[in-house]
């Protein structure tokens, strides 16, 4: 059987894990890693600044900061290469990105899966299922304690910040506190940086503390967690209690979900999809019958 | 907006809950209830022995014992009416039913959703998602303590059994004990009935105790539960911990999932599907964009 040829765009936490996980995925092979500049990077695998160097590529995992996804995905879709991204801005921004990528994907006869992470992503599917089981009710999504990659990346992008780690603490019922640990560049003014972080849309909705430290290593644990609960009713039955809990190494879960979504792109019609718009069975290797026999 | 017209086939525990839940579902309306014989049944809603009495019907919820699904579903599919069943035999039986219904559904330009319950059904989707997040690992599904409707129905069908309640007790790691409480018809021989129950394929794989009682009312609590855990790895990260827990009024959850699946039938191409073959977003009312804004 022909293997799905996948390139990994970016080589940060998620990119590294994607390379690792692809090596353990029997129906796929790594075409190479794309980086803006070659330099210190992975050894023993092809690295280039453009996808052309790798021969035919079926799908590109965009393991890049969320905010540059809207400009990066089109480069691949126009070449007829499927894209999988972990875009994490919810609401209107997500609807817009999906719409733009949908047009480009159809033009390129390609498939784009957007928001292919665990939240948004698999958690979104859980919220949908919980709502299908108990349509009237209250869902709460509580993250952490753990480090949020997207939030860390955002804080790191602020000029004057040398490095940052965003710790998410669940206060309960969907409320969170964000503790942002930062190391600063020479001459940076802490109060200005703290204000800039707090003003970002990603942080504005939560209570955010910015904490200056000399050393970030003690904060760099990659474990993260989520708990989704729904208390609702199905028809006349109230008190339907649904709960999902995950405790995961975050970048590895993110990379693995992108890989599963890459598999699904090979089974979908051209266009763009969020994870919840894909039949879950298409995320898994093998024939539908084999999967049904094994896990339905 | 035109409402989806749904008939409910059968008026047992799930059928009653389906009627109740349909009354609270804004995008649907109850066409009527189909029963083998009219007699004591629901009041204030149309009841008939055939679907023709109800005018145009979009979908039929087959709230009937699992074993008669294979003969009942074709009656509707041939008329171009979508069917939704809660068939609960897993493995090869499920694959076969899906295949047979697929042919009939395509011929009738209809959609059949089979295994549209919580297990198989939404739990199957959870197992798929857990496997997509952590492809290497161990999944355990533990049911109860609670009453299993399908198992109760099966025991009730044995000649000589007046009524039966099948209690499922989780022993852990996917092992269960089934305690089958039975009341007997005059003249029935308990030892023979116990042997017949234990020999049924539905019970053979678990330790089964058959207990004779005079009165079943104290057993008839409709709460049931499930816990699905996966301990697995994503790429280089081991110890990914995933868990789903539900504690639900069982027939109401089953009915509600069938209703959500009925909605999806209106959005799918002709053919037969298990729940895991349907985009989860299609289970919910409203446009995809509205759902994405709200819960992705």
């Amino acid at each position: 059987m022909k293997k799905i040829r996948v390139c990994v765009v970016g080589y940060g936490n998620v990119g590294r894990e994607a390379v690792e996980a692809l090596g353990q995925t029997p129906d796929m092979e790594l075409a190479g890693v794309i980086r803006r500049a070659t330099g210190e990077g992975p050894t023993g695998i092809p690295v280039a600044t453009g996808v052309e160097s790798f021969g035919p590529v079926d799908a590109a995992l965009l393991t890049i900061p969320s905010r540059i996804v809207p400009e990066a995905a089109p480069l691949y879709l126009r070449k007829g290469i499927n894209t999988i991204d972990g875009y994490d801005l919810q609401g209107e921004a997500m609807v817009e990105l999906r719409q733009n990528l949908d047009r480009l994907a159809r033009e390129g006869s390609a498939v784009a899966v957007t928001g292919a992470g665990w939240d948004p992503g698999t958690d979104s599917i859980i919220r949908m299922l919980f709502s299908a089981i108990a349509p009237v009710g209250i869902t709460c999504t509580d993250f952490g304690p753990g480090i949020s990659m997207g939030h860390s990346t955002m804080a790191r992008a602020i000029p004057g910040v040398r490095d940052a780690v965003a710790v998410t603490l669940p206060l309960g019922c969907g409320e969170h506190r964000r503790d942002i640990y930062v190391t600063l560049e020479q001459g940076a003014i802490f109060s200005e940086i703290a204000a800039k972080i707090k003003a970002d849309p990603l942080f504005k909705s939560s209570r955010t503390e910015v904490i200056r430290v000399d050393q970030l290593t003690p904060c760099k644990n990659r474990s993260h967690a989520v708990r989704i609960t729904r208390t609702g009713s199905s028809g006349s039955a109230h008190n339907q209690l649904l709960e999902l809990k995950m405790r995961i190494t975050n970048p590895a879960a993110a990379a693995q979900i992108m890989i599963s979504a890459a598999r699904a792109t090979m089974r979908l019609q051209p266009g763009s999809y969020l994870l919840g718009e894909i039949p879950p069975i298409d995320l898994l290797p093998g024939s539908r019958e084999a999967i049904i026999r094994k896990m339905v």
Side-chain angles (χ1 to χ4, degrees), chain A residues 129-193:
Chain A
L129 290 179
F130 281 5
S131 187
I133 298 169
V136 178
I138 298 163
T139 297
C140 293
T141 302
D142 296 301
F143 300 108
I147 290 176
S148 294
M149 292 189 293
H151 290 80
S152 301
T153 303
M154 199 281 118
R156 218 174 281 131
I158 289 184
V161 173
R162 197 191 316 144
D163 200 1
V165 165
V167 175
T168 300
L169 301 160
L171 306 180
C173 303
E175 295 277 328
H176 297 89
R177 195 181 86 204
R178 313 272 185 188
D179 284 356
I180 319 298
Y181 293 87
V182 292
T183 55
L184 299 189
E185 301 285 6
Q186 199 84 33
I189 298 162
F190 176 67
S191 61
E192 286 177 10
I193 282 170

Side-chain angles (χ1 to χ4, degrees), chain A residues 13-293:
Chain A
N13 288 328
V14 179
R16 273 168 239 250
E17 288 291 346
V19 168
E20 184 74 34
L22 280 166
Q24 298 172 37
T25 306
D27 58 338
M28 298 194 183
E29 66 186 16
L30 177 66
V33 172
I34 293 175
R35 306 185 69 205
R36 269 170 306 186
T38 46
E40 55 165 324
T43 54
I45 51 173
V47 179
T49 55
V51 70
E52 294 72 15
S53 318
F54 301 141
V57 168
D58 297 308
L61 305 185
L62 308 181
T63 67
I64 54 179
S66 208
R67 307 244 167 142
I68 62 175
V69 164
E71 55 193 89
L75 305 178
Y76 299 89
L77 294 173
R78 285 203 190 96
K79 295 185 167 83
I81 297 172
N82 301 339
T83 59
I84 299 89
D85 69 64
Y87 193 69
D88 66 356
L89 298 181
Q90 285 158 303
E92 208 49 45
M94 178 69 89
V95 169
E96 232 172 73
L97 175 64
R98 171 177 168 275
Q99 205 170 323
N100 291 341
L101 297 188
D102 193 59
R103 190 177 43 78
L104 288 161
R106 285 168 195 270
E107 284 169 14
S109 289
V111 172
V113 182
T114 197
W118 56 271
D119 204 309
T122 50
D123 281 2
S124 315
I125 299 178
I126 299 293
R127 287 188 285 268
M128 288 174 192
L129 290 179
F130 281 5
S131 187
I133 298 169
V136 178
I138 298 163
T139 297
C140 293
T141 302
D142 296 301
F143 300 108
I147 290 176
S148 294
M149 292 189 293
H151 290 80
S152 301
T153 303
M154 199 281 118
R156 218 174 281 131
I158 289 184
V161 173
R162 197 191 316 144
D163 200 1
V165 165
V167 175
T168 300
L169 301 160
L171 306 180
C173 303
E175 295 277 328
H176 297 89
R177 195 181 86 204
R178 313 272 185 188
D179 284 356
I180 319 298
Y181 293 87
V182 292
T183 55
L184 299 189
E185 301 285 6
Q186 199 84 33
I189 298 162
F190 176 67
S191 61
E192 286 177 10
I193 282 170
K196 270 189 199 153
I197 290 175
K198 290 183 182 191
D200 189 272
L202 216 51
F203 294 106
K204 256 186 6 197
S205 63
S206 298
R207 202 173 108 203
T208 301
E209 312 281 345
V210 184
I211 302 142
R212 182 182 185 166
V213 293
D214 294 326
Q215 249 270 41
L216 274 177
T217 314
C219 308
K220 292 200 165 177
N221 162 43
R222 290 176 186 170
S223 174
H224 209 340
V226 66
R227 177 167 175 258
I228 305 175
T229 56
R230 185 166 178 85
T231 311
S233 61
S234 329
S236 71
H238 295 256
N239 206 34
Q240 304 289 63
L241 306 175
L242 315 174
E243 181 182 18
L244 173 103
K245 284 204 292 199
M246 298 205 304
R247 171 55 75 181
I248 47 170
T249 301
N250 188 358
Q256 190 66 62
I257 292 166
M258 292 180 91
I259 289 171
S260 298
R263 181 178 295 118
T265 64
M266 306 303 287
R267 298 160 166 171
L268 293 163
Q269 293 301 309
S272 109
Y273 302 81
L274 302 196
L275 271 195
E277 298 180 273
I278 299 173
I281 202 166
D282 287 342
L283 298 169
L284 302 178
S287 73
R288 286 192 173 191
E289 284 75 13
I291 299 165
I292 291 168
R293 278 189 193 95

